[in-house]
Amino acid sequence: MARKKFSRKEGYIPKPWPRNPMEKLYADYFNFHFTNWPTPKGRNGCYICYEVERRLHNSPISLVRGVFENEFYPKEPVHAELCFLNWFKEEFLEKTLEPGGIYCVTWYTSWSPCVECARQVAEFLNTHKYVRLRIVSCRLYYSNKPEHQQGLRNLAGAEATLAVMSPEDFQYCWDNFVDNRERDFTYWRGIRRNYYGLYERLRDILSQVNAEADTLARICWLEGAPAEGTAEWLHRKTRHTLLWKLLSPVGLPDGSHQHPLPLLPLPAHPGRAQEAGQVGLNQRRLTAQGPPTLQPTQEEVGPQLRRLGVLRQGTFLKQEPLSRKTEPGLGTTTSRETACQEDDIMEPWPSLPPKTYLFNFRNLREAPDRNSTYLCFEVEEEQPDSPESCYWGVFRNQPSHLQHAYLEEPLHAEECFLSWFYDTILSPRADYHVTWYISWSPCFECAEKVVNFLEEHENVSLSISASRLYIHDHKDEQGLRHLRRAGAQVAVMSPEDFQYCWDNFVDNRERDFTYWRGIRRNYYGLHERLRDILSRG
């Protein structure tokens, strides 16, 4: 039977197969391969967006930028990292570099290097000391496997800077390495939450050392480990296999006793000959007490442990985006708290049930049984040469709860909104006016976080209308004054505001809003109290 002819979608233009190096990456390629989901499907290739600078006397000169991908033809596959190294050697290393000059290379990779690529890159950096490499990875490749973890530590030991891509890094790559046709970059759901998870994972990998490894390092220093064959010597001395996992990228030895990096001798101790007999190889004694007279300093053993990739301090994990904002004024703590929680916590509700609204938004002067805070918001976005956009929804505070057997701290509604707004909406190219209708006015801590957010983002203006005033002590009053000084408009909800929220934020089934008894009298009382609080500042 004849094969059915394949017909493409009308207007579709086949894209040519890219060749290394590429100037730009197709937008759909970038959106597919550069997503920081922990376990994505179908992302079998690796892409590297690279920048090369030459620095002479601390003066950087940008040389070239582009994109590499894995090569699958004409013979055996070659990973993108090795494709770059081969190209870099031909384009730059064969040329004469001025005395004192160095090359600074930055990689934005869709996957962190595999163990074999990490080994070859580490060898390259160890033999070319005038090349500085910074690797910023979208995802970590098999981060649960010891050999790949050790590969990352070997890179760190070769003085490569390792990091994971932040939302700002994704936007930077979109602006500089993608054929985006002047379209704005759009954050996807969970981009910052995934970033924090990968950040913590990489930090754990690069600082993965325990008391046993410290003990073995001390033994190596105290007992005079030979310059060559350090690992074999320790294995004979202690019969301890943990060290092999730390020193070898492939786990336990296979008989060849070869290591990816040469081992450096530890410094000689002047009193070792006399005191070695008193110390011996008692690991328990070394771990529990550690002889103060023989305790090596970090300056003495630091280079050796750094070369072995087992230095306790996370000195290799650096987050230094290139002249761009790193963290929001509020977002660091708030987003880290929410990173372990479920997705629906950071997503607004479209509306409130009528009973929930009428119970929580009643403007009583005393409301001891209203423990939840509900925040109805509107966001008006204005961009040059673009129609105005509007977003709305409802957030509520998140009480403390068990998540993966751990007790999560409570999260206030204001924090939920600010983290969601920063992750999904905020752009430096637009101006925003945000309106809150909130059941309780912000507490002092939330007020300070909102103030920091407004100071960090001058393109955001905020109006707050509160149903009731949360005044637990004088600090809460001070927080309201700080909000006003930061440019926020602070008011109490009028009867007309309650009706507006009923019409726009409540699933009212076309029922009319009914004023409750004392709604206007309570409004006037709260209005006078708020005016008195703000006038004290």
Side-chain angles (χ1 to χ4, degrees):
M1 185 175 69
R3 178 180 298 176
K4 183 178 179 180
K5 184 178 179 181
F6 176 76
S7 60
R8 299 186 181 274
K9 182 179 178 181
E10 184 178 356
Y12 175 81
I13 301 177
K15 297 175 180 177
W17 187 265
R19 296 292 185 269
N20 287 327
M22 301 173 280
E23 293 185 3
K24 296 282 187 177
L25 191 62
Y26 293 126
D28 52 350
Y29 282 29
F30 179 82
N31 289 330
F32 181 77
H33 288 279
F34 279 84
T35 54
N36 61 352
W37 299 333
T39 55
K41 295 181 180 180
R43 275 72 172 179
N44 300 321
C46 181
Y47 288 84
I48 294 179
C49 302
Y50 67 88
E51 292 179 322
V52 180
E53 291 182 349
R54 184 178 68 243
R55 292 190 180 183
L56 184 63
H57 307 302
N58 295 326
S59 298
I61 302 175
S62 180
L63 299 180
V64 66
R65 64 168 48 138
V67 182
F68 271 93
E69 71 158 353
N70 293 347
E71 289 185 356
F72 300 98
Y73 58 88
K75 297 180 180 179
E76 295 183 359
V78 181
H79 286 191
E81 296 90 337
L82 306 184
C83 292
F84 175 89
L85 290 183
N86 295 333
W87 168 84
F88 184 77
K89 292 175 184 177
E90 296 178 359
E91 291 292 327
F92 294 97
L93 298 189
E94 293 181 358
K95 300 178 181 178
T96 303
L97 185 65
E98 298 87 344
I102 60 174
Y103 289 111
C104 296
V105 181
T106 301
W107 287 355
Y108 298 95
T109 67
S110 58
W111 285 106
S112 62
C114 67
V115 59
E116 178 60 25
C117 289
R119 183 186 66 81
Q120 296 195 37
V121 173
E123 290 179 351
F124 175 83
L125 294 177
N126 285 322
T127 55
H128 301 83
K129 294 297 184 181
Y130 51 90
V131 178
R132 303 288 185 267
L133 177 61
R134 178 171 178 262
I135 304 175
V136 190
S137 301
C138 173
R139 296 178 300 271
L140 300 179
Y141 184 73
Y142 285 115
S143 62
N144 60 330
K145 293 189 176 183
E147 59 268 26
H148 292 283
Q149 296 176 5
Q150 186 59 40
L152 296 177
R153 288 192 286 267
N154 290 341
L155 283 171
E159 299 183 359
T161 301
L162 303 180
V164 293
M165 289 183 67
S166 67
E168 292 74 27
D169 290 320
F170 286 107
Q171 182 164 354
Y172 180 80
C173 289
W174 175 267
D175 294 336
N176 293 276
F177 298 99
V178 178
D179 183 17
N180 55 40
R181 308 297 175 88
E182 299 184 357
R183 291 173 294 179
D184 292 335
F185 177 68
T186 302
Y187 288 4
W188 53 85
R189 179 177 179 179
I191 181 174
R192 190 167 296 278
R193 177 171 56 253
N194 296 338
Y195 157 64
Y196 283 130
L198 292 167
Y199 174 90
E200 298 293 341
R201 179 60 177 158
L202 180 59
R203 186 178 66 176
D204 291 343
I205 291 173
L206 297 184
S207 61
Q208 190 175 1
V209 68
N210 52 28
E212 291 181 286
D214 288 339
T215 299
L216 292 173
R218 293 193 187 104
I219 293 173
C220 181
W221 185 80
L222 292 170
E223 298 297 327
E228 299 294 336
T230 307
E232 294 87 342
W233 178 86
L234 268 172
H235 188 61
R236 292 194 303 270
K237 283 281 188 180
T238 65
R239 296 294 185 264
H240 205 293
T241 59
L242 170 65
L243 187 68
W244 288 107
K245 297 180 181 180
L246 296 175
L247 300 185
S248 174
V250 294
L252 296 177
D254 56 3
S256 62
H257 305 300
Q258 295 178 356
H259 304 285
L261 298 175
L263 302 179
L264 300 180
L266 289 166
H269 194 281
R272 178 180 296 144
Q274 295 76 10
E275 303 184 35
Q278 302 176 7
V279 178
L281 287 175
N282 190 329
Q283 296 185 30
R284 181 172 301 177
R285 177 184 174 187
L286 284 172
T287 304
Q289 299 176 358
T293 58
L294 294 181
Q295 182 75 13
T297 65
Q298 179 172 324
E299 288 75 14
E300 292 172 327
V301 302
Q304 173 72 0
L305 296 183
R306 181 176 292 106
R307 180 57 61 94
L308 301 182
V310 296
L311 190 63
R312 177 179 293 279
Q313 288 80 3
T315 55
F316 308 122
L317 184 58
K318 300 178 181 179
Q319 289 294 118
E320 301 173 351
L322 301 177
S323 65
R324 301 186 304 282
K325 60 183 181 181
T326 55
E327 295 287 348
L330 160 81
T332 304
T333 302
T334 300
S335 295
R336 288 182 191 275
E337 290 176 354
T338 61
C340 297
Q341 301 182 25
E342 298 296 334
D343 286 346
D344 59 353
I345 289 180
M346 295 308 300
E347 291 297 320
W349 303 342
S351 61
L352 279 174
K355 290 184 179 180
T356 301
Y357 173 77
L358 293 175
F359 178 80
N360 288 280
F361 275 84
R362 192 176 293 266
N363 61 347
L364 304 174
R365 294 194 177 187
E366 300 293 336
D369 54 343
R370 269 72 170 178
N371 299 321
S372 297
T373 299
Y374 289 83
L375 188 154
C376 304
F377 69 88
E378 289 180 333
V379 178
E380 299 177 9
E381 180 185 59
E382 296 182 0
Q383 294 193 35
D385 303 326
S386 298
E388 182 176 308
S389 301
C390 186
Y391 310 87
W392 65 89
V394 181
F395 279 102
R396 61 153 287 178
N397 63 302
Q398 300 300 319
S400 59
H401 62 286
L402 285 176
Q403 178 72 21
H404 305 302
Y406 294 95
L407 183 64
E408 296 291 339
E409 294 295 326
L411 193 64
H412 290 190
E414 299 91 333
E415 298 174 302
C416 291
F417 171 86
L418 288 174
S419 292
W420 168 83
F421 177 64
Y422 185 89
D423 287 346
T424 60
I425 305 296
L426 187 60
S427 169
R429 300 183 181 89
D431 295 325
Y432 300 91
H433 180 71
V434 180
T435 302
W436 287 356
Y437 299 97
I438 192 167
S439 58
W440 284 106
S441 62
C443 64
F444 175 76
E445 290 78 9
C446 288
E448 292 300 299
K449 293 176 181 179
V450 173
V451 168
N452 292 336
F453 188 89
L454 295 176
E455 290 176 350
E456 178 74 15
H457 306 284
E458 297 181 354
N459 59 329
V460 179
S461 61
L462 175 63
S463 298
I464 303 175
S465 295
S467 172
R468 297 178 301 272
L469 299 178
Y470 180 83
I471 308 297
H472 184 68
D473 53 33
H474 68 280
K475 280 190 173 182
D476 297 316
E477 297 181 355
Q478 184 180 355
L480 295 177
R481 290 191 288 268
H482 289 176
L483 282 171
R484 191 184 65 168
R485 284 199 290 268
Q489 299 178 11
V490 184
V492 294
M493 290 180 65
S494 66
E496 292 73 23
D497 291 327
F498 288 108
Q499 182 167 354
Y500 180 82
C501 288
W502 175 268
D503 294 336
N504 293 276
F505 299 102
V506 178
D507 184 17
N508 56 43
R509 308 296 174 87
E510 299 185 357
R511 289 175 292 179
D512 293 333
F513 177 67
T514 302
Y515 288 6
W516 53 81
R517 184 178 179 180
I519 184 174
R520 194 168 295 277
R521 180 175 61 252
N522 294 343
Y523 159 67
Y524 286 134
L526 291 168
H527 176 77
E528 291 297 327
R529 187 180 183 187
L530 177 61
R531 186 175 65 175
D532 179 63
I533 292 172
L534 297 180
S535 64
R536 296 176 194 170

